[in-house]
Amino acid sequence: LLRWVKPLYRDEKTPAVDISIDPKNPNVIYAGLWEAFRSPWGMSSGGPGSGLFKSTDGGDTWAEITKNPGLPAGLWGKVGVSVSPVDGNRVYAIIENEKGGLFVSDDAGASWKLINDNRNLRQRAFYYTRVLADTKDKDTVYVLNVQFFKSTDGGKTTTTIRVPHGDNHDLWIAPSDNQRMVQSNDGGGNVTVNGGRTWTGQDFPTGQFYNVFTTKHVPYHVCGAQQDNSTACVGSQAQAG
């Protein structure tokens, strides 16, 4: 039987929120922790539990790098991290902080520099805060937010890529072909094979449903309202022929 262990733990208020593994050396792992609390009437994002950690032994032991030179002082909120598959010394982090933004390291996290503090990259941090390094060019990096941002100069400047739907949350870039990407947003999932110039539609079964209910039909239908999208109903039984 598999046995799970918990080598990285801060406290009961602080979960891990992001992880990035160096493909060239999988013993090197970066992890972001985020102290957060949400209730029906409020949201707290940030606290002393938040921070950035690094392991060089495959996750057996961890060192906190939150206070390494160049990273912001004071209260941290949510943090996203991505090590470049091209150069393990290049690491990107996007940090929720009074003086936060997109940070870059060129010495494997030993020291950092604030490269971009544009509010558009870090608005509604509790909802976004995602950064992804390109698989073929260490100076190309993507930041996901209301818009889908791309930088080709290490994060200094950004352009926007038009996608089928706003509110962007995740991205997969093919290791062997950085023109092939799968991107997810509040409308579902979409695929590009030309670096984001064009995308597929969102006819994949990836929609998020807020609720689900059944009708009184015989056979009954299953219906629900989707996130930022239409309602949908399907029959409970497969159609014949």
PDB file of all heavy atoms in Angstrom, residues 30 68-69 71 82 87-93 103-113:
ATOM      1  N   TYR A  30       9.597  23.602  -5.973  1.00  0.00           N
ATOM      2  CA  TYR A  30       9.186  24.834  -5.319  1.00  0.00           C
ATOM      3  C   TYR A  30       7.715  24.715  -4.936  1.00  0.00           C
ATOM      4  O   TYR A  30       6.914  24.145  -5.681  1.00  0.00           O
ATOM      5  CB  TYR A  30       9.382  26.038  -6.241  1.00  0.00           C
ATOM      6  CG  TYR A  30      10.818  26.293  -6.608  1.00  0.00           C
ATOM      7  CD1 TYR A  30      11.405  25.624  -7.684  1.00  0.00           C
ATOM      8  CD2 TYR A  30      11.597  27.189  -5.890  1.00  0.00           C
ATOM      9  CE1 TYR A  30      12.733  25.837  -8.033  1.00  0.00           C
ATOM     10  CE2 TYR A  30      12.926  27.418  -6.228  1.00  0.00           C
ATOM     11  CZ  TYR A  30      13.480  26.738  -7.298  1.00  0.00           C
ATOM     12  OH  TYR A  30      14.792  26.952  -7.631  1.00  0.00           O
ATOM     13  N   ASN A  68      14.278  35.501   1.218  1.00  0.00           N
ATOM     14  CA  ASN A  68      15.478  35.648   0.398  1.00  0.00           C
ATOM     15  C   ASN A  68      15.537  37.040  -0.229  1.00  0.00           C
ATOM     16  O   ASN A  68      14.494  37.678  -0.445  1.00  0.00           O
ATOM     17  CB  ASN A  68      15.507  34.568  -0.687  1.00  0.00           C
ATOM     18  CG  ASN A  68      15.979  33.228  -0.153  1.00  0.00           C
ATOM     19  OD1 ASN A  68      16.013  33.009   1.057  1.00  0.00           O
ATOM     20  ND2 ASN A  68      16.343  32.322  -1.029  1.00  0.00           N
ATOM     21  N   PRO A  69      16.735  37.531  -0.507  1.00  0.00           N
ATOM     22  CA  PRO A  69      16.887  38.892  -1.026  1.00  0.00           C
ATOM     23  C   PRO A  69      16.034  39.146  -2.263  1.00  0.00           C
ATOM     24  O   PRO A  69      15.978  38.321  -3.178  1.00  0.00           O
ATOM     25  CB  PRO A  69      18.382  38.966  -1.371  1.00  0.00           C
ATOM     26  CG  PRO A  69      19.027  37.974  -0.461  1.00  0.00           C
ATOM     27  CD  PRO A  69      18.038  36.855  -0.313  1.00  0.00           C
ATOM     28  N   LEU A  71      12.703  39.473  -2.380  1.00  0.00           N
ATOM     29  CA  LEU A  71      11.291  39.161  -2.183  1.00  0.00           C
ATOM     30  C   LEU A  71      10.680  40.162  -1.207  1.00  0.00           C
ATOM     31  O   LEU A  71      11.366  40.706  -0.341  1.00  0.00           O
ATOM     32  CB  LEU A  71      11.132  37.730  -1.671  1.00  0.00           C
ATOM     33  CG  LEU A  71      11.457  36.643  -2.693  1.00  0.00           C
ATOM     34  CD1 LEU A  71      11.384  35.249  -2.074  1.00  0.00           C
ATOM     35  CD2 LEU A  71      10.524  36.724  -3.904  1.00  0.00           C
ATOM     36  N   SER A  82       6.785  29.105 -10.741  1.00  0.00           N
ATOM     37  CA  SER A  82       7.048  28.277 -11.912  1.00  0.00           C
ATOM     38  C   SER A  82       8.536  28.328 -12.249  1.00  0.00           C
ATOM     39  O   SER A  82       9.078  29.402 -12.509  1.00  0.00           O
ATOM     40  CB  SER A  82       6.228  28.763 -13.113  1.00  0.00           C
ATOM     41  OG  SER A  82       6.392  27.906 -14.220  1.00  0.00           O
ATOM     42  N   ASP A  87      15.806  26.363 -18.214  1.00  0.00           N
ATOM     43  CA  ASP A  87      16.934  26.736 -17.361  1.00  0.00           C
ATOM     44  C   ASP A  87      16.466  26.696 -15.915  1.00  0.00           C
ATOM     45  O   ASP A  87      15.683  27.540 -15.473  1.00  0.00           O
ATOM     46  CB  ASP A  87      17.433  28.135 -17.732  1.00  0.00           C
ATOM     47  CG  ASP A  87      18.597  28.610 -16.873  1.00  0.00           C
ATOM     48  OD1 ASP A  87      19.008  27.884 -15.951  1.00  0.00           O
ATOM     49  OD2 ASP A  87      19.095  29.730 -17.134  1.00  0.00           O
ATOM     50  N   GLY A  88      16.925  25.719 -15.147  1.00  0.00           N
ATOM     51  CA  GLY A  88      16.481  25.556 -13.782  1.00  0.00           C
ATOM     52  C   GLY A  88      16.854  26.700 -12.861  1.00  0.00           C
ATOM     53  O   GLY A  88      16.322  26.791 -11.750  1.00  0.00           O
ATOM     54  N   ASN A  89      17.762  27.567 -13.291  1.00  0.00           N
ATOM     55  CA  ASN A  89      18.097  28.740 -12.493  1.00  0.00           C
ATOM     56  C   ASN A  89      17.043  29.835 -12.587  1.00  0.00           C
ATOM     57  O   ASN A  89      16.975  30.715 -11.729  1.00  0.00           O
ATOM     58  CB  ASN A  89      19.453  29.309 -12.915  1.00  0.00           C
ATOM     59  CG  ASN A  89      20.602  28.436 -12.471  1.00  0.00           C
ATOM     60  OD1 ASN A  89      20.654  28.015 -11.323  1.00  0.00           O
ATOM     61  ND2 ASN A  89      21.526  28.152 -13.374  1.00  0.00           N
ATOM     62  N   ARG A  90      16.244  29.788 -13.661  1.00  0.00           N
ATOM     63  CA  ARG A  90      15.210  30.808 -13.873  1.00  0.00           C
ATOM     64  C   ARG A  90      13.911  30.351 -13.201  1.00  0.00           C
ATOM     65  O   ARG A  90      13.342  29.334 -13.564  1.00  0.00           O
ATOM     66  CB  ARG A  90      14.993  31.039 -15.363  1.00  0.00           C
ATOM     67  CG  ARG A  90      13.785  31.922 -15.708  1.00  0.00           C
ATOM     68  CD  ARG A  90      13.938  33.353 -15.252  1.00  0.00           C
ATOM     69  NE  ARG A  90      15.077  34.019 -15.852  1.00  0.00           N
ATOM     70  CZ  ARG A  90      15.036  34.641 -17.038  1.00  0.00           C
ATOM     71  NH1 ARG A  90      13.918  34.670 -17.746  1.00  0.00           N
ATOM     72  NH2 ARG A  90      16.123  35.237 -17.504  1.00  0.00           N
ATOM     73  N   VAL A  91      13.464  31.138 -12.238  1.00  0.00           N
ATOM     74  CA  VAL A  91      12.228  30.837 -11.521  1.00  0.00           C
ATOM     75  C   VAL A  91      11.367  32.092 -11.486  1.00  0.00           C
ATOM     76  O   VAL A  91      11.879  33.194 -11.239  1.00  0.00           O
ATOM     77  CB  VAL A  91      12.504  30.360 -10.077  1.00  0.00           C
ATOM     78  CG1 VAL A  91      11.218  29.834  -9.434  1.00  0.00           C
ATOM     79  CG2 VAL A  91      13.579  29.292 -10.041  1.00  0.00           C
ATOM     80  N   TYR A  92      10.083  31.924 -11.745  1.00  0.00           N
ATOM     81  CA  TYR A  92       9.133  33.024 -11.670  1.00  0.00           C
ATOM     82  C   TYR A  92       8.219  32.817 -10.468  1.00  0.00           C
ATOM     83  O   TYR A  92       7.847  31.694 -10.137  1.00  0.00           O
ATOM     84  CB  TYR A  92       8.276  33.093 -12.936  1.00  0.00           C
ATOM     85  CG  TYR A  92       9.033  33.425 -14.191  1.00  0.00           C
ATOM     86  CD1 TYR A  92       9.462  32.414 -15.060  1.00  0.00           C
ATOM     87  CD2 TYR A  92       9.319  34.753 -14.535  1.00  0.00           C
ATOM     88  CE1 TYR A  92      10.143  32.716 -16.227  1.00  0.00           C
ATOM     89  CE2 TYR A  92      10.006  35.056 -15.709  1.00  0.00           C
ATOM     90  CZ  TYR A  92      10.408  34.038 -16.548  1.00  0.00           C
ATOM     91  OH  TYR A  92      11.093  34.335 -17.697  1.00  0.00           O
ATOM     92  N   ALA A  93       7.834  33.916  -9.827  1.00  0.00           N
ATOM     93  CA  ALA A  93       6.856  33.858  -8.746  1.00  0.00           C
ATOM     94  C   ALA A  93       5.967  35.087  -8.818  1.00  0.00           C
ATOM     95  O   ALA A  93       6.453  36.196  -9.066  1.00  0.00           O
ATOM     96  CB  ALA A  93       7.552  33.794  -7.382  1.00  0.00           C
ATOM     97  N   PHE A 103       7.860  38.355  -9.779  1.00  0.00           N
ATOM     98  CA  PHE A 103       9.270  38.340  -9.408  1.00  0.00           C
ATOM     99  C   PHE A 103       9.997  37.283 -10.235  1.00  0.00           C
ATOM    100  O   PHE A 103       9.417  36.284 -10.649  1.00  0.00           O
ATOM    101  CB  PHE A 103       9.425  38.021  -7.920  1.00  0.00           C
ATOM    102  CG  PHE A 103       8.918  39.095  -7.006  1.00  0.00           C
ATOM    103  CD1 PHE A 103       7.563  39.234  -6.747  1.00  0.00           C
ATOM    104  CD2 PHE A 103       9.797  39.979  -6.398  1.00  0.00           C
ATOM    105  CE1 PHE A 103       7.085  40.233  -5.912  1.00  0.00           C
ATOM    106  CE2 PHE A 103       9.337  40.987  -5.553  1.00  0.00           C
ATOM    107  CZ  PHE A 103       7.968  41.107  -5.315  1.00  0.00           C
ATOM    108  N   VAL A 104      11.294  37.511 -10.454  1.00  0.00           N
ATOM    109  CA  VAL A 104      12.097  36.563 -11.221  1.00  0.00           C
ATOM    110  C   VAL A 104      13.421  36.317 -10.502  1.00  0.00           C
ATOM    111  O   VAL A 104      13.998  37.229  -9.901  1.00  0.00           O
ATOM    112  CB  VAL A 104      12.342  37.081 -12.662  1.00  0.00           C
ATOM    113  CG1 VAL A 104      13.139  38.381 -12.653  1.00  0.00           C
ATOM    114  CG2 VAL A 104      13.024  36.035 -13.517  1.00  0.00           C
ATOM    115  N   SER A 105      13.869  35.075 -10.548  1.00  0.00           N
ATOM    116  CA  SER A 105      15.173  34.692 -10.000  1.00  0.00           C
ATOM    117  C   SER A 105      15.993  34.042 -11.100  1.00  0.00           C
ATOM    118  O   SER A 105      15.469  33.270 -11.901  1.00  0.00           O
ATOM    119  CB  SER A 105      14.996  33.703  -8.842  1.00  0.00           C
ATOM    120  OG  SER A 105      16.253  33.188  -8.422  1.00  0.00           O
ATOM    121  N   ASP A 106      17.275  34.344 -11.130  1.00  0.00           N
ATOM    122  CA  ASP A 106      18.191  33.704 -12.085  1.00  0.00           C
ATOM    123  C   ASP A 106      19.261  32.890 -11.379  1.00  0.00           C
ATOM    124  O   ASP A 106      20.262  32.514 -11.998  1.00  0.00           O
ATOM    125  CB  ASP A 106      18.834  34.760 -12.989  1.00  0.00           C
ATOM    126  CG  ASP A 106      17.917  35.149 -14.144  1.00  0.00           C
ATOM    127  OD1 ASP A 106      17.395  34.244 -14.821  1.00  0.00           O
ATOM    128  OD2 ASP A 106      17.706  36.364 -14.358  1.00  0.00           O
ATOM    129  N   ASP A 107      19.042  32.619 -10.082  1.00  0.00           N
ATOM    130  CA  ASP A 107      19.984  31.775  -9.351  1.00  0.00           C
ATOM    131  C   ASP A 107      19.230  30.744  -8.503  1.00  0.00           C
ATOM    132  O   ASP A 107      19.560  30.509  -7.352  1.00  0.00           O
ATOM    133  CB  ASP A 107      20.933  32.616  -8.501  1.00  0.00           C
ATOM    134  CG  ASP A 107      20.202  33.608  -7.599  1.00  0.00           C
ATOM    135  OD1 ASP A 107      18.971  33.463  -7.414  1.00  0.00           O
ATOM    136  OD2 ASP A 107      20.858  34.525  -7.079  1.00  0.00           O
ATOM    137  N   ALA A 108      18.182  30.179  -9.117  1.00  0.00           N
ATOM    138  CA  ALA A 108      17.420  29.085  -8.504  1.00  0.00           C
ATOM    139  C   ALA A 108      16.793  29.472  -7.175  1.00  0.00           C
ATOM    140  O   ALA A 108      16.731  28.676  -6.245  1.00  0.00           O
ATOM    141  CB  ALA A 108      18.294  27.841  -8.344  1.00  0.00           C
ATOM    142  N   GLY A 109      16.334  30.711  -7.075  1.00  0.00           N
ATOM    143  CA  GLY A 109      15.605  31.145  -5.900  1.00  0.00           C
ATOM    144  C   GLY A 109      16.439  31.767  -4.802  1.00  0.00           C
ATOM    145  O   GLY A 109      15.891  32.179  -3.776  1.00  0.00           O
ATOM    146  N   ALA A 110      17.749  31.862  -4.998  1.00  0.00           N
ATOM    147  CA  ALA A 110      18.603  32.452  -3.957  1.00  0.00           C
ATOM    148  C   ALA A 110      18.362  33.954  -3.822  1.00  0.00           C
ATOM    149  O   ALA A 110      18.383  34.496  -2.711  1.00  0.00           O
ATOM    150  CB  ALA A 110      20.066  32.180  -4.264  1.00  0.00           C
ATOM    151  N   SER A 111      18.140  34.627  -4.937  1.00  0.00           N
ATOM    152  CA  SER A 111      17.831  36.052  -4.910  1.00  0.00           C
ATOM    153  C   SER A 111      16.798  36.342  -5.999  1.00  0.00           C
ATOM    154  O   SER A 111      16.667  35.589  -6.966  1.00  0.00           O
ATOM    155  CB  SER A 111      19.089  36.902  -5.126  1.00  0.00           C
ATOM    156  OG  SER A 111      19.640  36.663  -6.412  1.00  0.00           O
ATOM    157  N   TRP A 112      16.071  37.464  -5.819  1.00  0.00           N
ATOM    158  CA  TRP A 112      14.944  37.767  -6.691  1.00  0.00           C
ATOM    159  C   TRP A 112      14.936  39.242  -7.066  1.00  0.00           C
ATOM    160  O   TRP A 112      15.587  40.066  -6.426  1.00  0.00           O
ATOM    161  CB  TRP A 112      13.632  37.434  -5.982  1.00  0.00           C
ATOM    162  CG  TRP A 112      13.475  35.984  -5.636  1.00  0.00           C
ATOM    163  CD1 TRP A 112      14.061  35.327  -4.584  1.00  0.00           C
ATOM    164  CD2 TRP A 112      12.717  35.015  -6.339  1.00  0.00           C
ATOM    165  NE1 TRP A 112      13.695  34.005  -4.593  1.00  0.00           N
ATOM    166  CE2 TRP A 112      12.867  33.781  -5.651  1.00  0.00           C
ATOM    167  CE3 TRP A 112      11.897  35.052  -7.467  1.00  0.00           C
ATOM    168  CZ2 TRP A 112      12.227  32.612  -6.063  1.00  0.00           C
ATOM    169  CZ3 TRP A 112      11.258  33.901  -7.878  1.00  0.00           C
ATOM    170  CH2 TRP A 112      11.428  32.699  -7.186  1.00  0.00           C
ATOM    171  N   LYS A 113      14.145  39.541  -8.102  1.00  0.00           N
ATOM    172  CA  LYS A 113      13.952  40.916  -8.527  1.00  0.00           C
ATOM    173  C   LYS A 113      12.503  41.096  -8.928  1.00  0.00           C
ATOM    174  O   LYS A 113      11.934  40.262  -9.635  1.00  0.00           O
ATOM    175  CB  LYS A 113      14.875  41.247  -9.700  1.00  0.00           C
ATOM    176  CG  LYS A 113      14.713  42.653 -10.265  1.00  0.00           C
ATOM    177  CD  LYS A 113      15.820  42.987 -11.250  1.00  0.00           C
ATOM    178  CE  LYS A 113      15.802  42.058 -12.442  1.00  0.00           C
ATOM    179  NZ  LYS A 113      16.812  42.440 -13.464  1.00  0.00           N
TER     180      LYS A 113
END
